[in-house]
Amino acid sequence: MRSGTDNVPGIAGLAVAAKETIDSMEDNVAKMYELRKSFTESLSEIENVRINGPENGVGAPHIVSLSVKGVRAEVLLHALEEKGIYVSAGSACSSNKPAVSETLKSIGLDKDLLGSTIRFSFSSFTTKEELDETVKALKELLPVLRKFVRR
């Protein structure tokens, strides 16, 4: 502990924020599952795209892992970034370890998809419109990016 005056307004503010978070958690989780379901249904309409992970209602409500055949994850990540859509090409816990994910291997993901997986994360503040724009961007980008695949 450091000496000095406690930040009483900050402490009180944290307590209010924690209470609001707990009080709205059930609704927020339900909303994120709903968003995830809509998002994955739209993504599944895109050719050569695989959604990794459990069916909706199971697992983390705020994460969608997606593998795209014929497009490297880093290439897609930067193409989406240019459109203001920010995704990850690895798990949060492996950001400093640029190796192929053991989790993706263990779920039996095809070898050609291991380097083509990105992760979308969202929150209760994410809107359906934002996810619809993401799907639209993927539908535009993927055919173009697939033209430049090294064989």
Side-chain angles (χ1 to χ4, degrees), residues 97-112:
K97 304 174 210 153
V100 176
S101 166
E102 290 299 321
T103 302
L104 294 177
K105 286 182 192 176
S106 71
I107 65 169
L109 195 63
D110 292 341
K111 287 183 182 184
D112 63 332

Side-chain angles (χ1 to χ4, degrees), residues 23-39:
D23 290 347
S24 62
M25 187 176 297
E26 221 172 275
D27 291 339
N28 288 340
V29 168
K31 177 188 176 190
M32 287 186 286
Y33 272 128
E34 192 175 304
L35 288 171
R36 184 174 124 187
K37 181 179 184 209
S38 172
F39 188 50

Side-chain angles (χ1 to χ4, degrees), residues 62-146:
H62 62 290
I63 297 173
V64 174
S65 172
L66 175 76
S67 298
V68 180
K69 188 172 184 172
V71 180
R72 302 280 308 150
E74 289 293 324
V75 172
L76 182 54
L77 179 145
H78 292 298
L80 287 169
E81 188 177 282
E82 288 181 16
K83 292 188 171 279
I85 301 167
Y86 299 94
V87 300
S88 175
S91 68
C93 56
S94 67
S95 62
N96 292 325
K97 304 174 210 153
V100 176
S101 166
E102 290 299 321
T103 302
L104 294 177
K105 286 182 192 176
S106 71
I107 65 169
L109 195 63
D110 292 341
K111 287 183 182 184
D112 63 332
L113 294 177
L114 289 173
S116 300
T117 300
I118 58 174
R119 187 186 78 244
F120 295 89
S121 300
F122 42 89
S123 74
S124 60
F125 298 110
T126 303
T127 66
K128 183 173 181 334
E129 292 75 24
E130 290 170 324
L131 297 176
D132 290 344
E133 282 298 312
T134 300
V135 171
K136 181 181 172 191
L138 286 166
K139 287 180 177 179
E140 292 171 3
L141 289 169
L142 291 178
V144 174
L145 296 175
R146 284 189 178 119

